[in-house]
Amino acid sequence: MRLGIISALAEEQMGLIDAMQHVEKQVHGMREYTAGKLWDIDAVCVLSRIGKVAAAMTASILVEKFRVTHIVFTGVAGSGDVGVRVGDIVVAESLVQHDMDASPLFPRFEIPLTGQSHIASDRDLTRRLALAAREFLQEEPDTPQLHRGLIASGDQFIKHRAQLGALKDALPDLLAVEMEGAAVAQVCFELGIPFGVIRTISDNANEDAPVDFMEFVHKVASRYAFGVLQNFCRT
Ligand code: SAH
């Protein structure tokens, strides 16, 4: 396995690059790719920046130029369900682009000419991510929970109750909202690369989200990413 690890923001990946050995850095297309040994795994870490196009480009380059065989996206997300709380972890079983709507030519959410709306993550990677997350959360105060299910991505920071409500009406199983995962899913689906997405909940995707998000990202996000990936790479 050669694992590509993508995050949108520096805080979501801090510490991982410091933990790498035999590091080689390369800048390509305005991003810095760091290849090396991460615990037991041959890995390439990169920050995609925010949004679906940025994430899709990064995933494509990881595969085509850096020859990764698997991809994991680790980052934060807004909650998409009342049962999913700040500090919980959501591991995606499938991902949908919530702002994809080419109806009436194609059903809402379907990616035109692929026949896909919800793209399933790789079962084995997802199982391993869930195990790593569960092990990490056991040591955390306030018993945060692990959830597995649907994550929706779009080029919007969801910060109004009504926005989330409308999404939830269309996607009742929704657990989390973010801005990159489903784009990585599409690229990996089309290139035949197994992938997984893991998100720590930073906010409730409502009017408090901008403040909650910033606080969480600064204080908690990197510790979670480091802890979970360490467990993942050692199993
Ligand atoms: N204002 C922020 C922008 C953050 S975008 C800034 O200046 O940095 C939010 C990032 O975290 C995205 O990468 C997205 O994947 C994730 N995210 C967290 N909460 C989100 C929410 N409520 N809606 C959409 N994406 C969210």
Side-chain angles (χ1 to χ4, degrees):
M1 175 194 278
R2 182 165 163 87
L3 180 68
I5 302 176
I6 314 178
S7 302
L9 309 162
E11 290 87 348
E12 295 169 321
Q13 210 174 82
M14 239 175 235
L16 283 182
I17 288 175
D18 298 333
M20 279 179 124
Q21 293 187 312
H22 314 295
V23 168
E24 267 180 54
K25 290 184 186 289
Q26 196 176 334
V27 174
H28 181 86
M30 297 172 66
R31 287 158 182 76
E32 186 173 69
Y33 294 79
T34 306
K37 197 93 184 157
L38 190 57
W39 295 291
D40 297 335
I41 283 184
D42 187 18
V44 185
C45 290
V46 58
L47 301 178
S48 60
R49 304 202 303 269
I50 297 167
K52 291 189 301 167
V53 174
M57 169 171 168
T58 309
S60 307
I61 301 280
L62 271 175
V63 176
E64 295 298 326
K65 188 173 171 64
F66 292 92
R67 296 289 158 204
V68 303
T69 58
H70 297 70
I71 290 182
V72 164
F73 193 108
T74 171
V76 298
S79 168
D81 189 86
V82 285
V84 177
R85 299 173 186 214
V86 172
D88 286 1
I89 291 181
V90 176
V91 175
E93 293 199 330
S94 64
L95 297 108
V96 60
Q97 296 176 33
H98 68 67
D99 52 359
M100 174 60 78
D101 187 355
S103 60
L105 298 179
F106 298 91
R108 186 176 177 195
F109 302 126
E110 187 169 306
I111 304 162
L113 308 176
T114 65
Q116 302 282 321
S117 60
H118 293 44
I119 295 184
S121 53
D122 179 68
R123 277 176 66 169
D124 187 51
L125 274 183
T126 298
R127 184 186 56 82
R128 287 179 56 189
L129 283 172
L131 279 175
R134 198 179 294 282
E135 197 183 330
F136 172 78
L137 289 178
Q138 273 166 4
E139 309 293 322
E140 286 293 294
D142 306 326
T143 57
Q145 302 292 303
L146 172 68
H147 310 267
R148 293 172 66 155
L150 179 65
I151 294 184
S153 316
D155 287 325
Q156 285 160 5
F157 183 71
I158 307 288
K159 55 183 173 303
H160 297 295
R161 222 170 294 262
Q163 262 176 308
L164 184 65
L167 275 183
K168 194 73 180 163
D169 288 343
L171 300 165
D173 298 338
L174 183 64
L175 294 183
V177 286
E178 38 88 314
M179 302 177 68
E180 299 85 16
V184 172
Q186 182 179 345
V187 168
C188 289
F189 169 74
E190 295 188 12
L191 294 176
I193 295 289
F195 74 93
V197 176
I198 180 163
R199 295 278 183 172
T200 305
I201 300 302
S202 55
D203 59 85
N204 287 313
N206 59 14
E207 284 66 12
D208 298 327
V211 172
D212 292 349
F213 164 82
M214 288 305 262
E215 264 189 36
F216 191 89
V217 158
H218 286 128
K219 293 196 189 133
V220 195
S222 61
R223 196 166 55 76
Y224 264 64
F226 186 89
V228 173
L229 262 296
Q230 185 175 34
N231 292 344
F232 176 87
C233 289
R234 285 176 165 172
T235 53

